[in-house]
Amino acid sequence: MTTQQTVKIQLVRSPIGCKESHRATVRGLGLRKIRSTSELVDTPEVRGMINKIAYLVRVL
């Protein structure tokens, strides 16, 4: 079996006052409240979403 690489991210700033598309990206990554974490498969699509909202999240 192959093991997929994962990336763990944490929401550290509130998306209130941000662009609607950035808020949608936060929700798309599975983040809800501040300090909530999400573990996702490390794909180019997920990395692009993380780069888009890099000022709101921390990669753990």
Side-chain angles (χ1 to χ4, degrees), residues 4-24:
Q4 295 181 345
Q5 297 285 5
T6 60
V7 61
K8 193 170 186 179
I9 57 172
Q10 180 180 35
L11 187 65
V12 294
R13 287 190 55 192
S14 173
I16 295 173
C18 298
K19 292 182 179 179
E20 184 63 38
S21 64
H22 290 203
R23 276 184 266 162

Side-chain angles (χ1 to χ4, degrees), residues 5-59:
Q5 297 285 5
T6 60
V7 61
K8 193 170 186 179
I9 57 172
Q10 180 180 35
L11 187 65
V12 294
R13 287 190 55 192
S14 173
I16 295 173
C18 298
K19 292 182 179 179
E20 184 63 38
S21 64
H22 290 203
R23 276 184 266 162
T25 302
V26 169
R27 297 288 298 156
L29 289 171
L31 301 170
R32 294 183 143 241
K33 297 181 179 182
I34 294 178
R35 289 193 299 272
S36 67
T37 61
S38 183
E39 190 166 349
L40 304 163
V41 178
D42 192 10
T43 62
E45 293 82 6
V46 171
R47 284 289 177 169
M49 292 171 78
I50 292 170
N51 286 339
K52 183 176 182 177
I53 59 165
Y55 63 99
L56 297 175
V57 298
R58 176 183 304 140
V59 178

